[in-house]
Amino acid sequence: MASERESFDLSGPLHLTYVLWDNPYHRMSVAACLVQAVYILERDRQENREGSDALAPPWWTFFHFQLLRPLVDDVDSSIFGAIYEFKPPSSQSNDTLYRSPRYVIAFRGTLTKAHSVSRDVELDIHFIRQGLHQTSRSNIAIQAVRNTVATVGDSNVWLAGHSLGSAMALLTGKTMAKNGNFIESFLFNPPFVSAPLEKIKDERVKHGIRFAGSVITAGLTLAMKAKQQPKDLIIDPFTALSAWVPCLFVNPSDHICSEYIGYFEHRRKMEDIGAGVIERLATQNSLGGLLMGAFGKEFEPLHLIPSAFVTVNVFPAFDFKEAHGIHQWWQPDLRLEYKLYNYK
């Protein structure tokens, strides 16, 4: 039996009858709904819901999108993503359409259902081990985005994802940015591989732990760079990413993504006290990734980025499930805080 959260009529933003594409809340809500649609596409497949029984279509048709095609995992045949095309009615008069996308490529997160959970958890582990870029699902995602951008250009495409899907969108966006294609991206509850330091209430203790971690990470980074050949130091891929500013949507009560708040705020504080050089090195690497590199293993510190427009939902969450859920991002009574971080 379908849950209430799968029904657009019961859980969707029915209040959003007219989208202003230059309104951050409207853009966020539409992107979140298109991600939710991917979850329900997979649930429709699992439950054999077709035609009028399918629950996914209203999540995109309400905003005048069409489903071009789903993205299917080659291991378990689950639907993990979708490509949508925006088809506004010709009769609609909207002065903000110039800010709308032509295509949106969205990725779902982990589904705790028997038909897909084993593959999703396997990919969660790959992410934790900083090896998501080596998986076949990421190759399918990246190729889909490359093909779309090659056809219509990066300015006409949005990326969106939630949780594991947010990590997939982040990987894809970083890959494209390294080649000079900066895609507008909406990353909901993106996972950050770190101890949940944001849970520490004492600001001095928290800053002290972060400062010590930065010094150690910066030192190891310098040591690793000293072993590299000069030709490897010509281009700094992390600096090349600074022009790409993805939109991150995080909840302080969600320990999976909340560390992004501290990650960027600590960078700002280190710049303020004159320790920006240390933090510039530290924010490019994770301790786990450096240790893997020391043993000759290939790694990609996916969660580390120099720039972002961070939206924090400070409305109190009832529990972790609510704090990590995609549904929060289209609620009409949100209390949001916005900050732009742009570092090199």
Side-chain angles (χ1 to χ4, degrees):
M1 184 176 178
S3 72
E4 179 180 309
R5 285 181 170 263
E6 292 178 342
S7 169
F8 185 86
D9 289 339
L10 297 176
S11 298
L14 297 174
H15 59 281
L16 205 57
T17 56
Y18 187 83
V19 176
L20 297 174
W21 291 101
D22 57 356
N23 182 300
Y25 168 74
H26 289 196
R27 293 156 65 84
M28 173 187 70
S29 298
V30 173
C33 285
L34 294 178
V35 173
Q36 170 70 350
V38 182
Y39 279 104
I40 304 175
L41 272 170
E42 172 56 15
R43 291 293 294 136
D44 282 346
R45 184 190 74 87
Q46 294 177 4
E47 299 295 326
N48 295 313
R49 299 188 298 233
E50 300 178 346
S52 60
D53 293 328
L55 295 178
W59 290 91
W60 63 75
T61 58
F62 187 81
F63 304 107
H64 306 295
F65 282 88
Q66 294 180 359
L67 176 66
L68 279 188
R69 68 180 179 95
L71 299 177
V72 179
D73 190 281
D74 63 337
V75 174
D76 66 354
S77 298
S78 65
I79 297 172
F80 72 89
I83 304 177
Y84 306 99
E85 183 177 8
F86 183 47
K87 290 284 190 177
S90 57
S91 59
Q92 186 183 68
S93 176
N94 190 330
D95 293 337
T96 67
L97 282 176
Y98 72 97
R99 292 294 307 277
S100 67
R102 282 185 61 187
Y103 297 91
V104 177
I105 304 174
F107 306 101
R108 66 166 175 84
T110 302
L111 261 176
T112 55
K113 303 295 179 181
H115 298 283
S116 55
V117 66
S118 60
R119 174 61 169 163
D120 288 348
V121 170
E122 176 190 342
L123 290 162
D124 289 331
I125 294 172
H126 275 293
F127 171 78
I128 293 171
R129 293 179 174 175
Q130 302 185 17
L132 189 63
H133 62 294
Q134 298 173 321
T135 65
S136 58
R137 182 181 289 189
S138 70
N139 291 333
I140 295 171
I142 291 171
Q143 194 57 51
V145 175
R146 279 179 175 156
N147 291 343
T148 305
V149 169
T151 302
V152 301
D154 55 11
S155 64
N156 293 303
V157 179
W158 282 8
L159 289 175
H162 173 251
S163 195
L164 173 62
S166 187
M168 193 67 68
L170 179 57
L171 171 60
T172 306
K174 287 181 72 172
T175 302
M176 298 301 292
K178 290 174 183 177
N179 293 313
N181 298 120
F182 304 113
I183 304 175
E184 189 150 5
S185 302
F186 299 79
L187 311 178
F188 300 97
N189 302 85
F192 192 102
V193 181
S194 171
L197 298 182
E198 280 300 298
K199 295 293 184 182
I200 299 174
K201 302 301 182 184
D202 191 311
E203 290 296 326
R204 289 179 299 177
V205 172
K206 184 161 58 178
H207 179 67
I209 294 173
R210 291 192 194 281
F211 185 86
S214 295
V215 172
I216 294 170
T217 304
L220 288 174
T221 300
L222 286 173
M224 291 292 291
K225 285 189 174 184
K227 294 182 179 181
Q228 291 179 328
Q229 298 297 320
K231 65 179 181 180
D232 298 326
L233 301 176
I234 296 174
I235 300 175
D236 181 358
F238 196 78
T239 300
L241 288 174
S242 62
W244 179 54
V245 186
C247 298
L248 274 57
F249 302 89
V250 301
N251 190 309
S253 298
D254 175 12
H255 63 266
I256 290 177
C257 69
S258 62
E259 190 55 26
Y260 267 112
I261 300 172
Y263 171 76
F264 281 110
E265 276 299 291
H266 181 61
R267 177 72 187 264
R268 182 187 62 78
K269 290 177 181 178
M270 292 289 277
E271 294 280 353
D272 289 346
I273 66 173
V277 174
I278 294 175
E279 195 59 20
R280 275 194 291 276
L281 290 170
T283 52
Q284 297 180 31
N285 295 280
S286 66
L287 286 173
L290 287 169
L291 291 173
M292 291 173 65
F295 287 100
K297 295 184 178 180
E298 182 185 354
F299 69 97
E300 169 77 19
L302 175 59
H303 56 292
L304 304 183
I305 49 178
S307 305
F309 186 77
V310 180
T311 299
V312 180
N313 180 12
V314 296
F315 192 87
F318 179 73
D319 54 19
F320 167 74
K321 185 177 180 181
E322 181 179 305
H324 189 64
I326 187 71
H327 288 73
Q328 66 185 295
W329 300 110
W330 60 74
Q331 299 305 315
D333 56 351
L334 288 175
R335 285 166 44 195
L336 304 175
E337 294 180 354
Y338 306 92
K339 284 192 178 180
L340 173 64
Y341 301 93
N342 200 327
Y343 297 110
K344 296 182 179 180

